[in-house]
Amino acid sequence: MVKELLIILISSSLVNNVVLSQFLGLCPFLGVSKKTNTAAGMGVAVIFVITLASAVAGVIYRFVLEKLGITYLQTIVFILVIAALVQFVEMFLKKFMPSLYQALGVYLPLITTNCAVLGIALTNVQKKYGILTGIVNGFATAVGFTVSIVILAGIREKMEYNDIPESFRGMPIVLVTAGLMAIAFCGFSGLL
Amino acid sequence: MANNSGSGYKSSSAAERLYNGLVKENPTFVLMLGMCPTLAVTTSAMNGLGMGLTTMVVLALSNMIISLLRNIIPDKVRIPAFIVVIASFVTMVELLLEGFLPALYDALGLYIPLIVVNCIILGRAESYASKNPVIPSLFDGIGMGLGFSFALTCIGAVRELIGAGEIFGLHIMPDSYVPCAIFIMAPGAFFVLAGLTAIQNKIRINGERKGKDMSKIQSGCSEDCMNCADKGCSRRFYGASGGAEDISGEPETEAKRGKERG
């Protein structure tokens, strides 16, 4: 069991990196990676939300959808649950943990629409993970997201001073960087 | 009501809608929306086409239903209501694909249910279908969907040509050509998109030099997800308050949002 979880941990965070090999959550990856500290804040918020969402989605799938035999409604149910969950987390943090809210609050609205959150919930179902395995998978995937967004932000900070051809300024050079990072992450596939 | 699509030109005839979706406001080449599926499934021209057409069906049908319901849905819950409509169609399409086109279903996999979170669909629902009559909305959906399919097929064809020397599975390149397999793997997607945005930048810069209005061309999420926020991506459940300005983390946004919530 522990070994299995460890393998999921490594494969979801590094080998099948959520952004660099599955292209989920590209929008925040490209949009919020200008500075390392903002990127790290976004990363932590993503870890928090995805872990929670995979737990909630797992429980709902197991105890509601499967019990009632309506698993085909999973997409609709998951998207509504995730949206409600993020909204709820935001209200909860604002009320009871203002300091954490200060740190994460601004990123939360952006995460609702992060396709990674829905993607993980659906992957967990597709791969028939149990609730615990699903949570570990969600956590690992989000860690993978955080690692890659922080690395990208670090590179972008250095790139500020580079002399880039006019038409490659802005998004294109960031995408080239992401492509090179994706090649580097391909190297992890030998790990398992 | 007819020219309320936010771009300020006449927009009622079906043909005009199709042209708009395919060329003028092509969702991939001009607006840069829905990049996740664009990158993920374009490993071959066939997959790109399949994904494009699947999205088109969902887009056209959800546009139609949302336009029919536009006077019934209360403004405050419109976004969740749109999402439910879109998610229902995605589920239907997913089940149909699984039943009738299992090969395509396997190739697209996870990205079929993820059509729900595609910016293009909610963006069109929000900016066009919720304000316009049924027939133009339907054609708007078809036009945008065709534009998306066209773009995905092109990107898929380029990647397939470089990465495997084929297009639609037909061998094109001479035998001496050594396929550059990286282009059908994940990194290739980033490189192709980088090339695409670079071309787009070039066109915009040239256009601006000639004094044309190039504001419609947007490059991805370069302006801190501004693009997606505009089209409803990050504002999805947050009305007009959440979104792009939040990323900068300025204290005034905090106050603004607090006020709007409270």
Side-chain angles (χ1 to χ4, degrees):
Chain A
M1 186 66 190
V2 175
K3 195 182 159 203
E4 190 197 333
L5 290 183
L6 206 65
I7 288 178
I8 289 178
L9 203 67
I10 294 173
S11 87
S12 300
S13 60
L14 296 176
V15 182
N16 296 314
N17 189 285
V18 66
V19 211
L20 296 174
S21 81
Q22 300 188 57
F23 309 105
L24 300 179
L26 261 186
C27 220
F29 180 67
L30 300 174
V32 200
S33 55
K34 273 196 181 138
K35 292 202 188 84
T36 357
N37 51 354
T38 355
M42 184 71 190
V44 174
V46 165
I47 293 181
F48 187 69
V49 170
I50 289 190
T51 313
L52 203 60
S54 35
V56 173
V59 169
I60 286 183
Y61 186 81
R62 181 83 171 273
F63 295 108
V64 180
L65 297 184
E66 266 188 355
K67 281 269 153 42
L68 298 175
I70 47 169
T71 46
Y72 58 87
L73 286 181
Q74 50 171 333
T75 315
I76 304 179
V77 172
F78 284 172
I79 183 104
L80 292 178
V81 164
I82 290 167
L85 180 79
V86 177
Q87 187 81 274
F88 180 75
V89 166
E90 201 184 347
M91 289 194 298
F92 181 84
L93 287 185
K94 203 172 183 178
K95 182 91 180 153
F96 297 104
M97 300 174 196
S99 55
L100 194 60
Y101 179 77
Q102 281 288 320
L104 300 186
V106 289
Y107 305 107
L108 285 173
L110 297 171
I111 294 174
T112 325
T113 54
N114 186 333
C115 46
V117 187
L118 182 64
I120 305 311
L122 291 168
T123 315
N124 286 343
V125 169
Q126 250 176 19
K127 292 195 177 162
K128 300 198 169 56
Y129 285 157
I131 293 175
L132 178 68
T133 329
I135 295 173
V136 172
N137 183 38
F139 174 75
T141 311
V143 168
F145 176 84
T146 310
V147 168
S148 44
I149 197 176
V150 171
I151 295 178
L152 181 69
I155 300 176
R156 279 182 79 170
E157 278 183 359
K158 295 278 174 212
M159 235 160 40
E160 288 270 299
Y161 308 103
N162 289 5
D163 186 22
I164 301 162
E166 193 182 39
S167 47
F168 268 87
R169 267 174 220 162
M171 202 46 21
I173 195 70
V174 178
L175 287 164
V176 171
T177 315
L180 294 173
M181 279 172 64
I183 295 182
F185 270 72
C186 280
F188 284 120
S189 55
L191 265 181
L192 290 178
Chain B
M1 220 47 181
N3 48 10
N4 227 350
S5 66
S7 333
Y9 50 86
K10 282 267 181 198
S11 51
S12 41
S13 80
E16 194 276 340
R17 282 289 91 198
L18 293 181
Y19 175 72
N20 182 57
L22 260 172
V23 182
K24 251 174 147 178
E25 284 188 19
N26 186 299
T28 308
F29 291 148
V30 182
L31 299 180
M32 285 272 162
L33 288 177
M35 281 299 131
C36 299
T38 308
L39 292 182
V41 301
T42 50
T43 48
S44 69
M46 203 60 217
N47 284 352
L49 185 64
M51 183 67 188
L53 293 180
T54 313
T55 312
M56 182 184 86
V57 172
V58 175
L59 189 53
L61 293 176
S62 61
N63 255 8
M64 191 176 79
I65 296 294
I66 286 165
S67 171
L68 277 173
L69 295 175
R70 71 185 186 282
N71 295 326
I72 303 171
I73 299 174
D75 205 40
K76 273 196 172 155
V77 294
R78 68 178 194 286
I79 305 289
F82 294 167
I83 294 274
V84 173
V85 171
I86 296 167
S88 316
F89 280 117
V90 170
T91 308
M92 282 181 223
V93 168
E94 189 185 359
L95 293 174
L96 286 173
L97 280 184
E98 193 175 3
F100 294 105
L101 291 170
L104 186 64
Y105 178 81
D106 288 337
L108 300 182
L110 184 64
Y111 298 96
I112 302 173
L114 285 179
I115 293 176
V116 181
V117 283
N118 191 326
C119 294
I120 300 171
I121 300 184
L122 201 89
R124 290 326 285 175
E126 171 83 356
S127 70
Y128 196 87
S130 62
K131 295 168 190 154
N132 288 284
V134 180
I135 300 294
S137 298
L138 176 65
F139 278 97
D140 181 73
I142 296 176
M144 279 284 159
L146 283 179
F148 189 58
S149 313
F150 171 69
L152 254 59
T153 314
C154 288
I155 298 175
V158 170
R159 286 181 66 185
E160 201 183 348
L161 186 67
I162 304 177
E166 302 172 336
I167 289 182
F168 283 113
L170 293 172
H171 219 72
I172 301 250
M173 295 301 232
D175 284 340
S176 57
Y177 176 74
V178 182
C180 178
I182 198 102
F183 269 82
I184 43 177
M185 287 155 63
F190 285 110
F191 293 138
V192 171
L193 190 67
L196 193 67
T197 41
I199 295 170
Q200 213 192 24
N201 262 354
K202 187 87 194 153
I203 293 174
R204 193 181 52 209
I205 292 166
N206 282 350
E208 274 164 3
R209 271 197 199 125
K210 286 177 194 150
K212 282 191 213 151
D213 176 29
M214 286 285 160
S215 59
K216 204 180 284 164
I217 296 187
Q218 309 181 24
S219 355
C221 301
S222 59
E223 299 301 315
D224 280 343
C225 255
M226 203 60 127
N227 180 25
C228 291
D230 269 355
K231 304 292 167 196
C233 196
S234 34
R235 290 191 190 180
R236 217 155 258 198
F237 297 93
Y238 294 87
S241 61
E245 77 270 35
D246 288 348
I247 310 174
S248 53
E250 287 156 12
E252 43 148 352
T253 15
E254 285 288 325
K256 201 165 64 189
R257 280 174 56 215
K259 206 169 65 197
E260 285 188 49
R261 285 292 152 64

PDB file of all heavy atoms in Angstrom, chain B residues 38-62:
ATOM      1  N   THR B  38      -6.109  22.509 -27.001  1.00  0.00           N
ATOM      2  CA  THR B  38      -5.369  22.781 -28.226  1.00  0.00           C
ATOM      3  C   THR B  38      -4.004  22.116 -28.189  1.00  0.00           C
ATOM      4  O   THR B  38      -3.561  21.517 -29.160  1.00  0.00           O
ATOM      5  CB  THR B  38      -5.196  24.293 -28.406  1.00  0.00           C
ATOM      6  OG1 THR B  38      -6.458  24.905 -28.293  1.00  0.00           O
ATOM      7  CG2 THR B  38      -4.590  24.613 -29.736  1.00  0.00           C
ATOM      8  N   LEU B  39      -3.344  22.230 -27.051  1.00  0.00           N
ATOM      9  CA  LEU B  39      -2.016  21.642 -26.959  1.00  0.00           C
ATOM     10  C   LEU B  39      -2.075  20.141 -26.755  1.00  0.00           C
ATOM     11  O   LEU B  39      -1.286  19.392 -27.311  1.00  0.00           O
ATOM     12  CB  LEU B  39      -1.252  22.272 -25.795  1.00  0.00           C
ATOM     13  CG  LEU B  39      -0.891  23.728 -25.984  1.00  0.00           C
ATOM     14  CD1 LEU B  39      -0.107  24.217 -24.799  1.00  0.00           C
ATOM     15  CD2 LEU B  39      -0.069  23.887 -27.240  1.00  0.00           C
ATOM     16  N   ALA B  40      -3.036  19.706 -25.960  1.00  0.00           N
ATOM     17  CA  ALA B  40      -2.993  18.319 -25.507  1.00  0.00           C
ATOM     18  C   ALA B  40      -3.369  17.322 -26.597  1.00  0.00           C
ATOM     19  O   ALA B  40      -2.787  16.254 -26.666  1.00  0.00           O
ATOM     20  CB  ALA B  40      -3.902  18.142 -24.307  1.00  0.00           C
ATOM     21  N   VAL B  41      -4.355  17.654 -27.430  1.00  0.00           N
ATOM     22  CA  VAL B  41      -4.858  16.610 -28.332  1.00  0.00           C
ATOM     23  C   VAL B  41      -4.362  16.743 -29.763  1.00  0.00           C
ATOM     24  O   VAL B  41      -4.746  15.956 -30.611  1.00  0.00           O
ATOM     25  CB  VAL B  41      -6.394  16.576 -28.350  1.00  0.00           C
ATOM     26  CG1 VAL B  41      -6.924  16.312 -26.972  1.00  0.00           C
ATOM     27  CG2 VAL B  41      -6.966  17.849 -28.909  1.00  0.00           C
ATOM     28  N   THR B  42      -3.514  17.739 -30.040  1.00  0.00           N
ATOM     29  CA  THR B  42      -3.128  17.927 -31.434  1.00  0.00           C
ATOM     30  C   THR B  42      -1.910  17.102 -31.813  1.00  0.00           C
ATOM     31  O   THR B  42      -1.075  17.548 -32.584  1.00  0.00           O
ATOM     32  CB  THR B  42      -2.842  19.404 -31.727  1.00  0.00           C
ATOM     33  OG1 THR B  42      -1.937  19.888 -30.729  1.00  0.00           O
ATOM     34  CG2 THR B  42      -4.086  20.226 -31.715  1.00  0.00           C
ATOM     35  N   THR B  43      -1.815  15.883 -31.298  1.00  0.00           N
ATOM     36  CA  THR B  43      -0.675  15.053 -31.672  1.00  0.00           C
ATOM     37  C   THR B  43      -0.791  14.584 -33.113  1.00  0.00           C
ATOM     38  O   THR B  43       0.190  14.213 -33.723  1.00  0.00           O
ATOM     39  CB  THR B  43      -0.563  13.834 -30.757  1.00  0.00           C
ATOM     40  OG1 THR B  43      -1.870  13.246 -30.664  1.00  0.00           O
ATOM     41  CG2 THR B  43      -0.111  14.226 -29.375  1.00  0.00           C
ATOM     42  N   SER B  44      -2.009  14.588 -33.666  1.00  0.00           N
ATOM     43  CA  SER B  44      -2.157  14.280 -35.089  1.00  0.00           C
ATOM     44  C   SER B  44      -3.328  15.096 -35.629  1.00  0.00           C
ATOM     45  O   SER B  44      -4.175  15.563 -34.860  1.00  0.00           O
ATOM     46  CB  SER B  44      -2.431  12.798 -35.297  1.00  0.00           C
ATOM     47  OG  SER B  44      -3.718  12.481 -34.816  1.00  0.00           O
ATOM     48  N   ALA B  45      -3.358  15.259 -36.946  1.00  0.00           N
ATOM     49  CA  ALA B  45      -4.415  16.056 -37.553  1.00  0.00           C
ATOM     50  C   ALA B  45      -5.792  15.461 -37.238  1.00  0.00           C
ATOM     51  O   ALA B  45      -6.761  16.169 -36.959  1.00  0.00           O
ATOM     52  CB  ALA B  45      -4.206  16.143 -39.053  1.00  0.00           C
ATOM     53  N   MET B  46      -5.844  14.130 -37.237  1.00  0.00           N
ATOM     54  CA  MET B  46      -7.123  13.456 -37.000  1.00  0.00           C
ATOM     55  C   MET B  46      -7.663  13.753 -35.596  1.00  0.00           C
ATOM     56  O   MET B  46      -8.836  14.074 -35.424  1.00  0.00           O
ATOM     57  CB  MET B  46      -6.897  11.943 -37.171  1.00  0.00           C
ATOM     58  CG  MET B  46      -8.149  11.175 -37.496  1.00  0.00           C
ATOM     59  SD  MET B  46      -8.881  11.752 -39.005  1.00  0.00           S
ATOM     60  CE  MET B  46     -10.592  11.628 -38.595  1.00  0.00           C
ATOM     61  N   ASN B  47      -6.778  13.654 -34.602  1.00  0.00           N
ATOM     62  CA  ASN B  47      -7.215  13.946 -33.240  1.00  0.00           C
ATOM     63  C   ASN B  47      -7.666  15.385 -33.108  1.00  0.00           C
ATOM     64  O   ASN B  47      -8.654  15.675 -32.433  1.00  0.00           O
ATOM     65  CB  ASN B  47      -6.073  13.706 -32.247  1.00  0.00           C
ATOM     66  CG  ASN B  47      -5.864  12.239 -31.984  1.00  0.00           C
ATOM     67  OD1 ASN B  47      -6.653  11.416 -32.430  1.00  0.00           O
ATOM     68  ND2 ASN B  47      -4.808  11.917 -31.276  1.00  0.00           N
ATOM     69  N   GLY B  48      -6.909  16.301 -33.742  1.00  0.00           N
ATOM     70  CA  GLY B  48      -7.284  17.707 -33.689  1.00  0.00           C
ATOM     71  C   GLY B  48      -8.666  17.916 -34.265  1.00  0.00           C
ATOM     72  O   GLY B  48      -9.517  18.581 -33.673  1.00  0.00           O
ATOM     73  N   LEU B  49      -8.896  17.304 -35.433  1.00  0.00           N
ATOM     74  CA  LEU B  49     -10.203  17.444 -36.076  1.00  0.00           C
ATOM     75  C   LEU B  49     -11.305  16.865 -35.191  1.00  0.00           C
ATOM     76  O   LEU B  49     -12.357  17.484 -34.992  1.00  0.00           O
ATOM     77  CB  LEU B  49     -10.186  16.736 -37.441  1.00  0.00           C
ATOM     78  CG  LEU B  49     -11.437  16.884 -38.292  1.00  0.00           C
ATOM     79  CD1 LEU B  49     -11.648  18.334 -38.679  1.00  0.00           C
ATOM     80  CD2 LEU B  49     -11.342  16.027 -39.552  1.00  0.00           C
ATOM     81  N   GLY B  50     -11.057  15.705 -34.618  1.00  0.00           N
ATOM     82  CA  GLY B  50     -12.062  15.073 -33.758  1.00  0.00           C
ATOM     83  C   GLY B  50     -12.406  15.945 -32.574  1.00  0.00           C
ATOM     84  O   GLY B  50     -13.578  16.186 -32.260  1.00  0.00           O
ATOM     85  N   MET B  51     -11.376  16.472 -31.924  1.00  0.00           N
ATOM     86  CA  MET B  51     -11.603  17.338 -30.766  1.00  0.00           C
ATOM     87  C   MET B  51     -12.356  18.593 -31.187  1.00  0.00           C
ATOM     88  O   MET B  51     -13.288  19.026 -30.513  1.00  0.00           O
ATOM     89  CB  MET B  51     -10.240  17.733 -30.171  1.00  0.00           C
ATOM     90  CG  MET B  51     -10.364  18.562 -28.928  1.00  0.00           C
ATOM     91  SD  MET B  51     -11.068  17.551 -27.621  1.00  0.00           S
ATOM     92  CE  MET B  51     -11.345  18.773 -26.387  1.00  0.00           C
ATOM     93  N   GLY B  52     -11.947  19.176 -32.330  1.00  0.00           N
ATOM     94  CA  GLY B  52     -12.590  20.393 -32.807  1.00  0.00           C
ATOM     95  C   GLY B  52     -14.070  20.170 -33.060  1.00  0.00           C
ATOM     96  O   GLY B  52     -14.912  20.958 -32.619  1.00  0.00           O
ATOM     97  N   LEU B  53     -14.390  19.078 -33.756  1.00  0.00           N
ATOM     98  CA  LEU B  53     -15.798  18.834 -34.087  1.00  0.00           C
ATOM     99  C   LEU B  53     -16.616  18.522 -32.825  1.00  0.00           C
ATOM    100  O   LEU B  53     -17.751  18.975 -32.694  1.00  0.00           O
ATOM    101  CB  LEU B  53     -15.913  17.690 -35.107  1.00  0.00           C
ATOM    102  CG  LEU B  53     -15.338  18.035 -36.484  1.00  0.00           C
ATOM    103  CD1 LEU B  53     -15.481  16.864 -37.430  1.00  0.00           C
ATOM    104  CD2 LEU B  53     -16.027  19.272 -37.080  1.00  0.00           C
ATOM    105  N   THR B  54     -16.018  17.775 -31.888  1.00  0.00           N
ATOM    106  CA  THR B  54     -16.719  17.500 -30.630  1.00  0.00           C
ATOM    107  C   THR B  54     -17.052  18.806 -29.918  1.00  0.00           C
ATOM    108  O   THR B  54     -18.178  19.026 -29.462  1.00  0.00           O
ATOM    109  CB  THR B  54     -15.824  16.639 -29.718  1.00  0.00           C
ATOM    110  OG1 THR B  54     -15.285  15.580 -30.472  1.00  0.00           O
ATOM    111  CG2 THR B  54     -16.607  16.094 -28.553  1.00  0.00           C
ATOM    112  N   THR B  55     -16.041  19.689 -29.857  1.00  0.00           N
ATOM    113  CA  THR B  55     -16.267  20.977 -29.209  1.00  0.00           C
ATOM    114  C   THR B  55     -17.332  21.764 -29.957  1.00  0.00           C
ATOM    115  O   THR B  55     -18.171  22.422 -29.339  1.00  0.00           O
ATOM    116  CB  THR B  55     -14.956  21.784 -29.165  1.00  0.00           C
ATOM    117  OG1 THR B  55     -13.929  20.943 -28.674  1.00  0.00           O
ATOM    118  CG2 THR B  55     -15.090  22.990 -28.267  1.00  0.00           C
ATOM    119  N   MET B  56     -17.294  21.683 -31.293  1.00  0.00           N
ATOM    120  CA  MET B  56     -18.270  22.436 -32.077  1.00  0.00           C
ATOM    121  C   MET B  56     -19.695  22.004 -31.749  1.00  0.00           C
ATOM    122  O   MET B  56     -20.586  22.846 -31.589  1.00  0.00           O
ATOM    123  CB  MET B  56     -18.019  22.259 -33.570  1.00  0.00           C
ATOM    124  CG  MET B  56     -18.975  23.067 -34.420  1.00  0.00           C
ATOM    125  SD  MET B  56     -18.748  22.756 -36.170  1.00  0.00           S
ATOM    126  CE  MET B  56     -19.771  21.335 -36.374  1.00  0.00           C
ATOM    127  N   VAL B  57     -19.911  20.693 -31.655  1.00  0.00           N
ATOM    128  CA  VAL B  57     -21.253  20.209 -31.338  1.00  0.00           C
ATOM    129  C   VAL B  57     -21.717  20.771 -30.000  1.00  0.00           C
ATOM    130  O   VAL B  57     -22.819  21.328 -29.878  1.00  0.00           O
ATOM    131  CB  VAL B  57     -21.264  18.655 -31.318  1.00  0.00           C
ATOM    132  CG1 VAL B  57     -22.590  18.143 -30.799  1.00  0.00           C
ATOM    133  CG2 VAL B  57     -20.995  18.123 -32.700  1.00  0.00           C
ATOM    134  N   VAL B  58     -20.855  20.668 -29.003  1.00  0.00           N
ATOM    135  CA  VAL B  58     -21.220  21.172 -27.673  1.00  0.00           C
ATOM    136  C   VAL B  58     -21.486  22.673 -27.731  1.00  0.00           C
ATOM    137  O   VAL B  58     -22.474  23.177 -27.187  1.00  0.00           O
ATOM    138  CB  VAL B  58     -20.098  20.872 -26.657  1.00  0.00           C
ATOM    139  CG1 VAL B  58     -20.422  21.495 -25.313  1.00  0.00           C
ATOM    140  CG2 VAL B  58     -19.902  19.396 -26.511  1.00  0.00           C
ATOM    141  N   LEU B  59     -20.608  23.383 -28.432  1.00  0.00           N
ATOM    142  CA  LEU B  59     -20.708  24.834 -28.505  1.00  0.00           C
ATOM    143  C   LEU B  59     -22.004  25.267 -29.178  1.00  0.00           C
ATOM    144  O   LEU B  59     -22.735  26.131 -28.666  1.00  0.00           O
ATOM    145  CB  LEU B  59     -19.499  25.349 -29.290  1.00  0.00           C
ATOM    146  CG  LEU B  59     -19.209  26.827 -29.375  1.00  0.00           C
ATOM    147  CD1 LEU B  59     -19.150  27.417 -27.992  1.00  0.00           C
ATOM    148  CD2 LEU B  59     -17.878  27.043 -30.059  1.00  0.00           C
ATOM    149  N   ALA B  60     -22.327  24.636 -30.314  1.00  0.00           N
ATOM    150  CA  ALA B  60     -23.527  25.029 -31.037  1.00  0.00           C
ATOM    151  C   ALA B  60     -24.779  24.727 -30.217  1.00  0.00           C
ATOM    152  O   ALA B  60     -25.663  25.584 -30.060  1.00  0.00           O
ATOM    153  CB  ALA B  60     -23.585  24.300 -32.384  1.00  0.00           C
ATOM    154  N   LEU B  61     -24.844  23.530 -29.642  1.00  0.00           N
ATOM    155  CA  LEU B  61     -26.051  23.158 -28.904  1.00  0.00           C
ATOM    156  C   LEU B  61     -26.208  23.987 -27.636  1.00  0.00           C
ATOM    157  O   LEU B  61     -27.306  24.457 -27.316  1.00  0.00           O
ATOM    158  CB  LEU B  61     -26.022  21.662 -28.564  1.00  0.00           C
ATOM    159  CG  LEU B  61     -26.133  20.729 -29.773  1.00  0.00           C
ATOM    160  CD1 LEU B  61     -25.998  19.298 -29.351  1.00  0.00           C
ATOM    161  CD2 LEU B  61     -27.449  20.951 -30.502  1.00  0.00           C
ATOM    162  N   SER B  62     -25.101  24.194 -26.917  1.00  0.00           N
ATOM    163  CA  SER B  62     -25.245  24.948 -25.669  1.00  0.00           C
ATOM    164  C   SER B  62     -25.567  26.408 -25.973  1.00  0.00           C
ATOM    165  O   SER B  62     -26.380  27.021 -25.277  1.00  0.00           O
ATOM    166  CB  SER B  62     -24.001  24.822 -24.801  1.00  0.00           C
ATOM    167  OG  SER B  62     -22.893  25.337 -25.466  1.00  0.00           O
TER     168      SER B  62
END
